Amino acid sequence: MKFLIFLLLFLSLLFSQNKYAYSDSMIVKDPQLAWKLSFIPGLGQIYNERYFKAVVLWTMEMYAIYQWNSYNSNKKVAKRNTFGWWIIGLYIVGMIDAYVDA
């Protein structure tokens, strides 16, 4: 059992290498520009060349807006407010992620 745990840990470390792990001064992104571009959801992630993150963030944001609008028209205030907070939270997380990733 201990050998299996050790093997899984070793394999996870072996395959967890990131191709962006090295730091090259020629590919450093500007965090201020990434932060400013992130006022449009997903654009900061596209600037940082994290296209999958941009698609996921944009999809989650659109889903939250759709649900907020749906609950707003059905007069379900509690669920509408929950998705309103999700919209704000996803927006802020996208901005912080773009800044930190740059």
Side-chain angles (χ1 to χ4, degrees):
M1 183 68 173
K2 288 183 182 181
F3 177 74
L4 181 62
I5 293 172
F6 176 75
L7 182 64
L8 288 175
L9 284 173
F10 178 73
L11 289 175
S12 68
L13 290 174
L14 184 65
F15 292 110
S16 68
Q17 296 297 320
N18 189 352
K19 69 178 184 176
Y20 299 107
Y22 66 92
S23 176
D24 186 4
S25 63
M26 299 300 289
I27 58 171
V28 173
K29 301 287 185 176
D30 182 21
Q32 293 296 325
L33 181 59
W35 180 76
K36 290 173 185 174
L37 287 173
S38 68
F39 279 105
I40 299 173
L43 199 56
Q45 283 74 21
I46 291 173
Y47 171 73
N48 290 328
E49 298 176 6
R50 306 286 197 224
Y51 304 112
F52 184 71
K53 273 188 185 179
V55 170
V56 169
L57 180 67
W58 192 79
T59 303
M60 289 171 52
E61 190 80 32
M62 291 299 112
Y63 177 75
I65 290 170
Y66 172 78
Q67 289 295 341
W68 180 84
N69 194 24
S70 173
Y71 288 127
N72 190 34
S73 63
N74 292 338
K75 308 287 190 235
K76 295 183 179 179
V77 177
K79 290 188 178 186
R80 180 200 65 190
N81 291 345
T82 300
F83 279 101
W85 284 111
W86 272 101
I87 292 168
I88 294 168
L90 287 169
Y91 188 74
I92 292 171
V93 164
M95 292 174 73
I96 293 170
D97 177 65
Y99 182 79
V100 170
D101 206 16

